[in-house]
Amino acid sequence: MVTVVLAYFQLLYKSKRVDTAFLTLQRMIKDFGHTVTAVRFTSNDSFIVSGSVDKTIKIHERRSGKLIQSFTQPEGITYLDLGMNDDHIVTSSYDGKIRLWRISKASVIREFEGHSGTAWTVAFSPDGKTIASSGEDKLIKLWDTQTGRLVRTLAGHSLNVWSVKFSPDGTKLGGCSFDR
């Protein structure tokens, strides 16, 4: 049964968001000192933004692979998300902090503190007004991007929360954890 399911997804299923042809490797970018934990394409598909355990955020030109910009934070990046205007990045980190960056200035706009232990993941709401974060503390936190204020803490998981994601309309938030 597993083989049939895998074959279906590999050969027959055609995502509306991905070219339906078989994917081919276009480029490998190898200028990281450690594991890359997240990658995003800018909305115009011109740049690739990535974060790594080596503490760096790197922006590469998609077509050439050329490094355009690189900046570093104090601890390794566990995840990142790109804001809807492509000038903001939010990162989660091993130090438990969430950092909101402005790309055009290569600087941190705001740090959000409130997780104990590692913050594993972050996500921008579709309107860019809220950041969701989650972590080792088994919590999901919602932050106001303008004020830096903690808006809400969602509890209920019994183990690390590994991922959070807003629905496309921003009215729902999903999270997943090792607690199943």
Side-chain angles (χ1 to χ4, degrees), residues 1-173:
M1 182 63 169
V2 172
T3 304
V4 172
V5 171
L6 289 175
Y8 169 76
F9 281 107
Q10 290 176 347
L11 301 174
L12 303 176
Y13 175 76
K14 296 187 182 343
S15 170
K16 295 173 185 160
R17 297 177 61 191
V18 177
D19 186 334
T20 58
F22 282 98
L23 301 176
T24 59
L25 178 64
Q26 291 185 1
R27 175 161 339 288
M28 289 185 70
I29 300 171
K30 298 182 178 185
D31 63 348
F32 293 91
H34 209 291
T35 306
V36 175
T37 54
V39 63
R40 292 284 182 271
F41 289 91
T42 57
S43 59
N44 64 6
D45 202 30
S46 297
F47 300 98
I48 299 169
V49 180
S50 56
S52 173
V53 174
D54 69 7
K55 307 176 187 178
T56 61
I57 297 168
K58 294 188 178 187
I59 302 171
H60 291 88
E61 188 176 73
R62 186 187 61 82
R63 292 196 188 277
S64 69
K66 178 183 174 190
L67 180 64
I68 302 298
Q69 191 173 11
S70 179
F71 35 103
T72 307
Q73 67 178 37
E75 292 295 328
I77 297 167
T78 56
Y79 204 74
L80 67 75
D81 199 13
L82 189 58
M84 66 181 194
N85 67 1
D86 289 344
D87 192 37
H88 291 90
I89 298 171
V90 62
T91 60
S92 53
S93 181
Y94 289 106
D95 64 7
K97 294 181 182 177
I98 308 304
R99 292 175 177 86
L100 178 61
W101 296 80
R102 175 164 286 133
I103 296 173
S104 58
K105 297 185 180 192
S107 63
V108 174
I109 299 170
R110 183 167 284 111
E111 284 188 354
F112 305 87
E113 296 187 46
H115 284 287
S116 58
T118 300
W120 286 115
T121 190
V122 285
F124 275 109
S125 63
D127 64 8
K129 294 179 180 178
T130 305
I131 293 169
S133 64
S134 67
E136 185 177 354
D137 57 9
K138 309 168 193 152
L139 300 173
I140 296 173
K141 295 184 178 278
L142 301 175
W143 309 90
D144 183 300
T145 57
Q146 296 299 312
T147 66
R149 187 175 66 85
L150 177 63
V151 176
R152 190 164 183 192
T153 299
L154 304 170
H157 285 286
S158 59
L159 293 171
N160 292 352
V161 182
W162 287 104
S163 183
V164 291
K165 186 71 175 166
F166 285 94
S167 63
D169 66 2
T171 63
K172 298 170 198 67
L173 179 72

